[in-house]
Amino acid sequence: DIGCGDGRFLREVRSRYPDKTLLGIDASERAVRLAQALNPDLAYRALDIVREGLAQTYDAATLIEVIEHIPPLDLPAFLDAVAQAINPGGLLVLTVPHRNKSVIEKHYQHFSGEQLRNLLAPRFDVQKILPFDPAPRTPIAWLTLRMLGGKGRWFLFTQQRILYRCYQRYLRHYLYADDESRCERIAVICTRR
């Protein structure tokens, strides 16, 4: 997990794939110390992969909400370093904010599917682009997201049965967008050339 932050995603991966060799890396020493404190049974390293590279290659890498934090002129070198960390034919999964969402202060840019396809093309074959996290269009969508703690604002239910039903509705109706016109985030699955 490149740009692992506090390590939460890698912890979830470990729960699904306990026998896999996992590594979280982040350029921030502070983030890595927090990840290690929260997940002492996982491996984390503070590392600038562009300057230092990784000694080992992996079958898959993730970039979860990372590349929007990298200056646009530095992205090609960063993606070269990411590609060098993945075995040929290995997977890269990344998520980013979509251009539909306003750029915030700590981000350099947000992306469209076409932009990502062009950015990744020299190193990766894009298999799938998934627009997700649609802006709620109806009051029921807005309410469902809020009841599930969506966007970090509320978390109303602790009763498992109600929470489960709301979550199932969310998965069926509100997780993925039909197209990029109304999504706020986008995921890309690709393979290294």
Side-chain angles (χ1 to χ4, degrees), residues 163-178:
L163 191 58
Y164 177 78
R165 289 184 191 272
C166 290
Y167 182 66
Q168 290 302 312
R169 180 172 182 81
Y170 171 75
L171 290 177
R172 279 194 310 274
H173 300 289
Y174 309 122
L175 178 59
Y176 297 106
D178 296 333

PDB file of all heavy atoms in Angstrom, residues 163-178:
ATOM      1  N   LEU A 163     -28.705  -1.277  10.616  1.00  0.00           N
ATOM      2  CA  LEU A 163     -27.461  -0.870   9.981  1.00  0.00           C
ATOM      3  C   LEU A 163     -27.154  -1.751   8.766  1.00  0.00           C
ATOM      4  O   LEU A 163     -26.773  -1.262   7.705  1.00  0.00           O
ATOM      5  CB  LEU A 163     -26.322  -0.927  10.988  1.00  0.00           C
ATOM      6  CG  LEU A 163     -25.012  -0.296  10.583  1.00  0.00           C
ATOM      7  CD1 LEU A 163     -25.200   1.172  10.231  1.00  0.00           C
ATOM      8  CD2 LEU A 163     -24.003  -0.426  11.717  1.00  0.00           C
ATOM      9  N   TYR A 164     -27.349  -3.051   8.903  1.00  0.00           N
ATOM     10  CA  TYR A 164     -27.100  -3.982   7.807  1.00  0.00           C
ATOM     11  C   TYR A 164     -28.018  -3.674   6.620  1.00  0.00           C
ATOM     12  O   TYR A 164     -27.564  -3.635   5.480  1.00  0.00           O
ATOM     13  CB  TYR A 164     -27.292  -5.424   8.282  1.00  0.00           C
ATOM     14  CG  TYR A 164     -27.114  -6.429   7.186  1.00  0.00           C
ATOM     15  CD1 TYR A 164     -25.833  -6.780   6.759  1.00  0.00           C
ATOM     16  CD2 TYR A 164     -28.214  -7.005   6.566  1.00  0.00           C
ATOM     17  CE1 TYR A 164     -25.659  -7.700   5.731  1.00  0.00           C
ATOM     18  CE2 TYR A 164     -28.045  -7.918   5.540  1.00  0.00           C
ATOM     19  CZ  TYR A 164     -26.773  -8.264   5.127  1.00  0.00           C
ATOM     20  OH  TYR A 164     -26.610  -9.168   4.099  1.00  0.00           O
ATOM     21  N   ARG A 165     -29.292  -3.433   6.900  1.00  0.00           N
ATOM     22  CA  ARG A 165     -30.236  -3.128   5.794  1.00  0.00           C
ATOM     23  C   ARG A 165     -29.852  -1.823   5.096  1.00  0.00           C
ATOM     24  O   ARG A 165     -29.916  -1.735   3.873  1.00  0.00           O
ATOM     25  CB  ARG A 165     -31.663  -3.077   6.308  1.00  0.00           C
ATOM     26  CG  ARG A 165     -32.203  -4.429   6.673  1.00  0.00           C
ATOM     27  CD  ARG A 165     -33.670  -4.339   7.080  1.00  0.00           C
ATOM     28  NE  ARG A 165     -34.124  -5.548   7.667  1.00  0.00           N
ATOM     29  CZ  ARG A 165     -34.633  -6.574   6.978  1.00  0.00           C
ATOM     30  NH1 ARG A 165     -34.730  -6.491   5.681  1.00  0.00           N
ATOM     31  NH2 ARG A 165     -35.029  -7.661   7.604  1.00  0.00           N
ATOM     32  N   CYS A 166     -29.484  -0.824   5.860  1.00  0.00           N
ATOM     33  CA  CYS A 166     -29.052   0.440   5.257  1.00  0.00           C
ATOM     34  C   CYS A 166     -27.799   0.237   4.425  1.00  0.00           C
ATOM     35  O   CYS A 166     -27.670   0.765   3.318  1.00  0.00           O
ATOM     36  CB  CYS A 166     -28.800   1.491   6.335  1.00  0.00           C
ATOM     37  SG  CYS A 166     -30.282   2.086   7.140  1.00  0.00           S
ATOM     38  N   TYR A 167     -26.880  -0.554   4.937  1.00  0.00           N
ATOM     39  CA  TYR A 167     -25.637  -0.812   4.223  1.00  0.00           C
ATOM     40  C   TYR A 167     -25.904  -1.561   2.914  1.00  0.00           C
ATOM     41  O   TYR A 167     -25.327  -1.238   1.872  1.00  0.00           O
ATOM     42  CB  TYR A 167     -24.674  -1.594   5.114  1.00  0.00           C
ATOM     43  CG  TYR A 167     -23.346  -1.876   4.469  1.00  0.00           C
ATOM     44  CD1 TYR A 167     -22.468  -0.834   4.156  1.00  0.00           C
ATOM     45  CD2 TYR A 167     -22.960  -3.173   4.153  1.00  0.00           C
ATOM     46  CE1 TYR A 167     -21.244  -1.075   3.566  1.00  0.00           C
ATOM     47  CE2 TYR A 167     -21.731  -3.425   3.556  1.00  0.00           C
ATOM     48  CZ  TYR A 167     -20.891  -2.372   3.266  1.00  0.00           C
ATOM     49  OH  TYR A 167     -19.686  -2.618   2.667  1.00  0.00           O
ATOM     50  N   GLN A 168     -26.782  -2.545   2.954  1.00  0.00           N
ATOM     51  CA  GLN A 168     -27.127  -3.278   1.736  1.00  0.00           C
ATOM     52  C   GLN A 168     -27.758  -2.346   0.694  1.00  0.00           C
ATOM     53  O   GLN A 168     -27.456  -2.437  -0.489  1.00  0.00           O
ATOM     54  CB  GLN A 168     -28.069  -4.448   2.054  1.00  0.00           C
ATOM     55  CG  GLN A 168     -27.415  -5.569   2.825  1.00  0.00           C
ATOM     56  CD  GLN A 168     -26.221  -6.135   2.090  1.00  0.00           C
ATOM     57  OE1 GLN A 168     -26.276  -6.438   0.910  1.00  0.00           O
ATOM     58  NE2 GLN A 168     -25.107  -6.258   2.802  1.00  0.00           N
ATOM     59  N   ARG A 169     -28.600  -1.444   1.145  1.00  0.00           N
ATOM     60  CA  ARG A 169     -29.205  -0.464   0.223  1.00  0.00           C
ATOM     61  C   ARG A 169     -28.120   0.433  -0.376  1.00  0.00           C
ATOM     62  O   ARG A 169     -28.118   0.722  -1.562  1.00  0.00           O
ATOM     63  CB  ARG A 169     -30.259   0.369   0.938  1.00  0.00           C
ATOM     64  CG  ARG A 169     -30.921   1.390   0.047  1.00  0.00           C
ATOM     65  CD  ARG A 169     -32.102   2.067   0.725  1.00  0.00           C
ATOM     66  NE  ARG A 169     -32.712   2.994  -0.181  1.00  0.00           N
ATOM     67  CZ  ARG A 169     -33.566   2.692  -1.146  1.00  0.00           C
ATOM     68  NH1 ARG A 169     -33.933   1.428  -1.326  1.00  0.00           N
ATOM     69  NH2 ARG A 169     -34.074   3.617  -1.939  1.00  0.00           N
ATOM     70  N   TYR A 170     -27.189   0.841   0.485  1.00  0.00           N
ATOM     71  CA  TYR A 170     -26.079   1.674   0.024  1.00  0.00           C
ATOM     72  C   TYR A 170     -25.281   0.954  -1.071  1.00  0.00           C
ATOM     73  O   TYR A 170     -24.981   1.518  -2.115  1.00  0.00           O
ATOM     74  CB  TYR A 170     -25.179   2.028   1.206  1.00  0.00           C
ATOM     75  CG  TYR A 170     -23.894   2.699   0.816  1.00  0.00           C
ATOM     76  CD1 TYR A 170     -23.880   4.033   0.422  1.00  0.00           C
ATOM     77  CD2 TYR A 170     -22.695   2.003   0.821  1.00  0.00           C
ATOM     78  CE1 TYR A 170     -22.702   4.654   0.054  1.00  0.00           C
ATOM     79  CE2 TYR A 170     -21.516   2.614   0.462  1.00  0.00           C
ATOM     80  CZ  TYR A 170     -21.530   3.938   0.068  1.00  0.00           C
ATOM     81  OH  TYR A 170     -20.369   4.536  -0.302  1.00  0.00           O
ATOM     82  N   LEU A 171     -24.947  -0.316  -0.835  1.00  0.00           N
ATOM     83  CA  LEU A 171     -24.182  -1.073  -1.818  1.00  0.00           C
ATOM     84  C   LEU A 171     -24.937  -1.206  -3.143  1.00  0.00           C
ATOM     85  O   LEU A 171     -24.350  -1.087  -4.215  1.00  0.00           O
ATOM     86  CB  LEU A 171     -23.829  -2.463  -1.291  1.00  0.00           C
ATOM     87  CG  LEU A 171     -22.810  -2.527  -0.166  1.00  0.00           C
ATOM     88  CD1 LEU A 171     -22.625  -3.972   0.282  1.00  0.00           C
ATOM     89  CD2 LEU A 171     -21.489  -1.917  -0.588  1.00  0.00           C
ATOM     90  N   ARG A 172     -26.240  -1.462  -3.067  1.00  0.00           N
ATOM     91  CA  ARG A 172     -27.045  -1.659  -4.280  1.00  0.00           C
ATOM     92  C   ARG A 172     -27.289  -0.372  -5.053  1.00  0.00           C
ATOM     93  O   ARG A 172     -27.332  -0.380  -6.268  1.00  0.00           O
ATOM     94  CB  ARG A 172     -28.389  -2.292  -3.929  1.00  0.00           C
ATOM     95  CG  ARG A 172     -28.351  -3.779  -3.740  1.00  0.00           C
ATOM     96  CD  ARG A 172     -29.749  -4.387  -3.723  1.00  0.00           C
ATOM     97  NE  ARG A 172     -30.666  -3.719  -2.831  1.00  0.00           N
ATOM     98  CZ  ARG A 172     -30.793  -3.979  -1.526  1.00  0.00           C
ATOM     99  NH1 ARG A 172     -30.046  -4.884  -0.957  1.00  0.00           N
ATOM    100  NH2 ARG A 172     -31.666  -3.338  -0.798  1.00  0.00           N
ATOM    101  N   HIS A 173     -27.473   0.741  -4.331  1.00  0.00           N
ATOM    102  CA  HIS A 173     -27.966   1.944  -5.004  1.00  0.00           C
ATOM    103  C   HIS A 173     -27.043   3.155  -4.979  1.00  0.00           C
ATOM    104  O   HIS A 173     -27.203   4.049  -5.799  1.00  0.00           O
ATOM    105  CB  HIS A 173     -29.309   2.360  -4.389  1.00  0.00           C
ATOM    106  CG  HIS A 173     -30.374   1.320  -4.497  1.00  0.00           C
ATOM    107  ND1 HIS A 173     -30.972   0.999  -5.695  1.00  0.00           N
ATOM    108  CD2 HIS A 173     -30.914   0.514  -3.562  1.00  0.00           C
ATOM    109  CE1 HIS A 173     -31.865   0.032  -5.480  1.00  0.00           C
ATOM    110  NE2 HIS A 173     -31.840  -0.273  -4.205  1.00  0.00           N
ATOM    111  N   TYR A 174     -26.110   3.216  -4.036  1.00  0.00           N
ATOM    112  CA  TYR A 174     -25.405   4.483  -3.852  1.00  0.00           C
ATOM    113  C   TYR A 174     -23.881   4.407  -3.889  1.00  0.00           C
ATOM    114  O   TYR A 174     -23.217   5.429  -3.821  1.00  0.00           O
ATOM    115  CB  TYR A 174     -25.814   5.136  -2.527  1.00  0.00           C
ATOM    116  CG  TYR A 174     -27.302   5.228  -2.363  1.00  0.00           C
ATOM    117  CD1 TYR A 174     -27.940   4.639  -1.290  1.00  0.00           C
ATOM    118  CD2 TYR A 174     -28.078   5.894  -3.311  1.00  0.00           C
ATOM    119  CE1 TYR A 174     -29.316   4.716  -1.143  1.00  0.00           C
ATOM    120  CE2 TYR A 174     -29.452   5.969  -3.171  1.00  0.00           C
ATOM    121  CZ  TYR A 174     -30.061   5.375  -2.086  1.00  0.00           C
ATOM    122  OH  TYR A 174     -31.412   5.448  -1.953  1.00  0.00           O
ATOM    123  N   LEU A 175     -23.292   3.232  -3.975  1.00  0.00           N
ATOM    124  CA  LEU A 175     -21.834   3.150  -3.972  1.00  0.00           C
ATOM    125  C   LEU A 175     -21.250   3.541  -5.323  1.00  0.00           C
ATOM    126  O   LEU A 175     -20.343   4.347  -5.416  1.00  0.00           O
ATOM    127  CB  LEU A 175     -21.378   1.746  -3.581  1.00  0.00           C
ATOM    128  CG  LEU A 175     -19.863   1.509  -3.581  1.00  0.00           C
ATOM    129  CD1 LEU A 175     -19.166   2.476  -2.619  1.00  0.00           C
ATOM    130  CD2 LEU A 175     -19.548   0.075  -3.217  1.00  0.00           C
ATOM    131  N   TYR A 176     -21.780   2.967  -6.391  1.00  0.00           N
ATOM    132  CA  TYR A 176     -21.242   3.227  -7.724  1.00  0.00           C
ATOM    133  C   TYR A 176     -22.117   4.217  -8.472  1.00  0.00           C
ATOM    134  O   TYR A 176     -23.326   4.242  -8.307  1.00  0.00           O
ATOM    135  CB  TYR A 176     -21.127   1.923  -8.520  1.00  0.00           C
ATOM    136  CG  TYR A 176     -20.163   0.964  -7.878  1.00  0.00           C
ATOM    137  CD1 TYR A 176     -20.613  -0.152  -7.194  1.00  0.00           C
ATOM    138  CD2 TYR A 176     -18.796   1.200  -7.919  1.00  0.00           C
ATOM    139  CE1 TYR A 176     -19.724  -1.023  -6.586  1.00  0.00           C
ATOM    140  CE2 TYR A 176     -17.898   0.344  -7.305  1.00  0.00           C
ATOM    141  CZ  TYR A 176     -18.376  -0.763  -6.645  1.00  0.00           C
ATOM    142  OH  TYR A 176     -17.494  -1.606  -6.034  1.00  0.00           O
ATOM    143  N   ALA A 177     -21.489   4.995  -9.308  1.00  0.00           N
ATOM    144  CA  ALA A 177     -22.211   5.942 -10.156  1.00  0.00           C
ATOM    145  C   ALA A 177     -22.406   5.290 -11.528  1.00  0.00           C
ATOM    146  O   ALA A 177     -21.588   4.475 -11.960  1.00  0.00           O
ATOM    147  CB  ALA A 177     -21.411   7.231 -10.295  1.00  0.00           C
ATOM    148  N   ASP A 178     -23.486   5.653 -12.199  1.00  0.00           N
ATOM    149  CA  ASP A 178     -23.747   5.109 -13.534  1.00  0.00           C
ATOM    150  C   ASP A 178     -22.692   5.568 -14.534  1.00  0.00           C
ATOM    151  O   ASP A 178     -22.338   4.847 -15.449  1.00  0.00           O
ATOM    152  CB  ASP A 178     -25.132   5.531 -14.023  1.00  0.00           C
ATOM    153  CG  ASP A 178     -26.235   4.965 -13.158  1.00  0.00           C
ATOM    154  OD1 ASP A 178     -26.023   3.899 -12.545  1.00  0.00           O
ATOM    155  OD2 ASP A 178     -27.301   5.589 -13.076  1.00  0.00           O
TER     156      ASP A 178
END
